[in-house]
Amino acid sequence: MGDPISPACPWGVETQGDAHVVRVGPDSRIEARVIVKGRGNQLVVGANVIALPYAPAGFPATVPDASPSLHSITIDGEDNVVRLGDRTRLGVNLTIRGSGNTVEIGEACHLHGFMNLLCSGARLRIGNGTTMVQGSIQLHEPGEIIIGEDCMISSQVYISLSDIHPIYDRGSGQRLNPAASVVVGDHVWAGLRCMIMKGARIGDGGVIAAGAIVSGQTPPNAIVAGVPGRIVRENVEWRRDFSQPPPESLAQVQDKSRRWRPPWAAKRS
């Protein structure tokens, strides 16, 4: 997989500091400007990955104490790890500032938008086959955002494990809005401009309607809509494409069950 690189990286990754490791798999193209700063950071890229420059289609997320960067991917700190799975396509503005953060993106993902890890000890994991169009994923405090496989994140979706700014009780000094990790199950469709907020747990196969705000737990195969989000329908199953067949109805499954004959019955007839 290769040794730790020098500042003159053959893949166009700019480095500052020392003990960084950059590994790029075969047939991968890093056309985005990438900078790795600090010490002991890792960028591990699988095979057939394409990382393109970020092309903004809306307003950027605020990055404290930093002027606009020329780099689409910035890793700044110590012991941060970024892993990109085989056949993934990126057009993101990924910024990591802190130490001990991890970004794991699975295979065959197509992702466009913003990803900010502006703290230490945060983890972002995105499962195989997930797509995102102009989304925004924010980790400003330690914790996790876990997104499952084959999810479809629509345009201008916002996912965050915190409110980004603290709120305190004036009497006690206690913080009123602590961060909480977010988990999105497999095959979840997050609709246009919805918001998945701190503490959300989205069940497998769910649909979050356009403009909904979700911060609690939702069951599998449910549609969540409104502000705040509420369950409006259960026992649903969605498809990415009209060419994909619908699921079998309960009546069809029951009919197959009635017509099934065990092997010994067929021999007697």
Side-chain angles (χ1 to χ4, degrees):
M1 295 294 288
D3 297 321
I5 62 168
S6 69
C9 176
W11 303 289
V13 178
E14 180 183 348
T15 64
Q16 298 175 11
D18 57 10
H20 302 306
V21 175
V22 175
R23 299 172 180 171
V24 178
D27 301 315
S28 291
R29 298 193 341 250
I30 301 180
E31 298 182 9
R33 295 188 66 178
V34 180
I35 185 167
V36 182
K37 301 191 293 184
R39 179 177 174 81
N41 297 301
Q42 297 182 42
L43 173 61
V44 181
V45 180
N48 293 290
V49 171
I50 298 177
L52 299 173
Y54 173 73
F59 61 88
T62 300
V63 179
D65 67 10
S67 57
S69 175
L70 297 176
H71 300 90
S72 291
I73 299 176
T74 299
I75 305 171
D76 185 359
E78 297 184 358
D79 301 319
N80 298 295
V81 177
V82 176
R83 297 190 181 97
L84 308 180
D86 297 346
R87 304 183 310 283
T88 279
R89 303 292 183 266
L90 293 184
V92 300
N93 190 329
L94 169 60
T95 301
I96 299 175
R97 287 196 175 93
S99 299
N101 297 295
T102 303
V103 174
E104 299 172 305
I105 297 176
E107 298 182 0
C109 294
H110 288 236
L111 305 174
H112 180 269
F114 298 96
M115 301 177 187
N116 287 336
L117 290 80
L118 305 180
C119 61
S120 296
R123 180 186 182 205
L124 170 61
R125 189 180 74 194
I126 300 176
N128 298 338
T130 285
T131 59
M132 181 173 76
V133 181
Q134 192 59 25
S136 179
I137 301 176
Q138 303 294 321
L139 298 90
H140 289 241
E141 298 187 56
E144 295 183 326
I145 293 181
I146 308 298
I147 299 172
E149 297 186 356
D150 190 37
C151 291
M152 187 167 67
I153 302 172
S154 303
S155 181
Q156 300 178 52
V157 169
Y158 180 84
I159 304 173
S160 179
L161 56 69
S162 75
D163 296 332
I164 299 180
H165 307 284
I167 302 172
Y168 298 98
D169 179 89
R170 292 184 67 187
S172 65
Q174 180 180 1
R175 185 173 174 186
L176 302 176
N177 62 337
S181 294
V182 172
V183 178
V184 177
D186 295 334
H187 192 61
V188 169
W189 175 7
L192 176 71
R193 296 176 181 164
C194 74
M195 301 177 72
I196 301 174
M197 304 302 290
K198 60 184 182 181
R201 297 287 190 275
I202 312 298
D204 294 347
V207 177
I208 305 173
I213 299 179
V214 182
S215 60
Q217 184 168 348
T218 68
N221 302 105
I223 298 176
V224 179
V227 180
R230 61 183 182 87
I231 299 167
V232 296
R233 184 147 189 168
E234 297 189 68
N235 197 31
V236 302
E237 191 170 326
W238 65 274
R239 298 284 188 268
R240 282 181 176 265
D241 197 295
F242 288 108
S243 66
Q244 298 173 303
E248 289 187 318
S249 67
L250 181 59
Q252 289 173 315
V253 173
Q254 291 174 338
D255 182 62
K256 285 184 178 181
S257 178
R258 285 194 295 269
R259 289 188 285 110
W260 180 80
R261 300 179 67 191
W264 57 264
K267 293 179 181 179
R268 288 185 178 180
S269 62

